Amino acid sequence: MGNLLVYILHRSRHRACLDPTSSTRASEMRIKEMFNLAWVPSILMLGVVYVTYVLIGGVVFWKLEGDLGQKDIGLLLLNKKTLLTRYSCLNQEGLEAVAQVVQEASKAGLSLKGNYTSDGFWKFTSSAVFAATVVTTIGYGNISPSSTAGQIFCVFFALIGIPLNLVVLNRVGKYMLAIERNISDFLEGKTGRKRCTRFFVHLVSYLSGAVLFFVVPMIVFQLHEGWTFSQAIYYCFITLSTIGFGDFVADSNPDKIYPEWYSVLMASWIFFGLAWLSLLINHSIDILERLNTHFKQWWVGQKQEGESGGADVNNPDTQVEEEDEIKKPPITQ
């Protein structure tokens, strides 16, 4: 067995000496494999940047909200003690019963102020807005189905509605982009300046969208909900980004009487605002990908150009980017 291994090694060395091109090709293949493996640290570094960004956000929220949360807890305990002292007939069990009633009334959309009644959350307009929050994955959490039939229907409704919503939003976003490009092409033909015209059109479209989907709704919510401007702009972004914390929800205050057009206006704002913000996020992703590509080119450096040769073709990241460009459907003008 040992003699056989020696013979095989001897024959392989003999063939390498007879055919130097094979050894050269083998070395080139090893260089290409090393070059492809050299891209792994860029993926790891991207993951490190992502985790670091999330941890920095956690630290900032901890510092900004932690002390305030402790103060709120202390204030709540003080108010509880004052309440029990003022109403001596109310003990701990009675306080818990009152809190349970208040919590259930708030969840049902009923107001405990005065003696009048309300339709609650599950009137037709509120139910339609809830259906929109389901298919758009906003999910405020202020209302939710409590019956078994409603919960099962919500599951199947979301399974069909979420993909349908994505398709419709994608199509609306493409039409928005097509209108923007048509305007850009028209102005390019008039001015003859490509980059300046496109930058101007992008800037005007972004500013117009910001005014239409953030500034105007901010004023409307400030008037009808009684929020501050900071709370209104916060609600606009949390809604259109589909984060949906549910701490601020429009058209849900049982102590207010809203006009009939308010729910329709809200649904239209959510739909077109989602399409616009998703288009803006896609542009931001495209910019980050371009920056990532430039960074990778800088990281490789010109000194590896001669060694790698055509290794760029075999780079998995480059292949994925090229496949993505091929798979992108053309935008109909």
Side-chain angles (χ1 to χ4, degrees), residues 115-151:
N115 295 321
Y116 62 89
T117 60
S118 175
D119 295 333
F121 281 139
W122 295 109
K123 53 186 178 181
F124 173 72
T125 53
S126 300
S127 300
V129 173
F130 170 76
T133 59
V134 170
V135 298
T136 55
T137 68
I138 295 175
Y140 289 120
N142 61 324
I143 60 174
S144 58
S146 56
S147 64
T148 303
Q151 293 171 352

Side-chain angles (χ1 to χ4, degrees), residues 208-227:
S208 300
V211 171
L212 184 61
F213 297 114
F214 281 93
V215 177
V216 174
M218 179 180 65
I219 298 173
V220 174
F221 292 142
Q222 197 272 336
L223 293 175
H224 286 83
E225 302 292 341
W227 298 338

Side-chain angles (χ1 to χ4, degrees), residues 4-70:
L4 179 60
L5 292 176
V6 171
Y7 174 75
I8 293 173
L9 291 174
H10 177 71
R11 292 293 297 175
S12 63
R13 291 178 183 176
H14 179 67
R15 288 179 181 177
C17 294
L18 292 177
D19 189 7
T21 58
S22 61
S23 61
T24 305
R25 290 175 183 173
S27 61
E28 288 179 355
M29 290 297 295
R30 284 195 296 270
I31 291 174
K32 290 181 180 180
E33 291 177 359
M34 292 174 61
F35 182 80
N36 290 334
L37 291 176
W39 293 99
V40 175
S42 67
I43 300 175
L44 295 178
M45 185 167 59
L46 186 61
V48 170
V49 170
Y50 175 77
V51 174
T52 304
Y53 184 78
V54 172
L55 292 178
I56 290 174
V59 171
V60 173
F61 284 124
W62 176 41
K63 292 297 182 182
L64 292 177
E65 301 293 334
D67 295 338
L68 184 61
Q70 293 296 327

Side-chain angles (χ1 to χ4, degrees), residues 154-175:
C154 184
V155 172
F156 290 98
F157 180 74
L159 284 175
I160 300 174
I162 292 175
L164 178 63
N165 176 74
L166 292 176
V167 171
V168 174
L169 287 180
N170 185 31
R171 183 57 60 90
V172 172
K174 285 183 178 180
Y175 274 112

Side-chain angles (χ1 to χ4, degrees), residues 109-119 253-257:
L110 299 178
S111 175
L112 295 179
K113 297 179 180 179
N115 295 321
Y116 62 89
T117 60
S118 175
D119 295 333
N253 191 347
D255 297 325
K256 293 182 178 293
I257 300 176

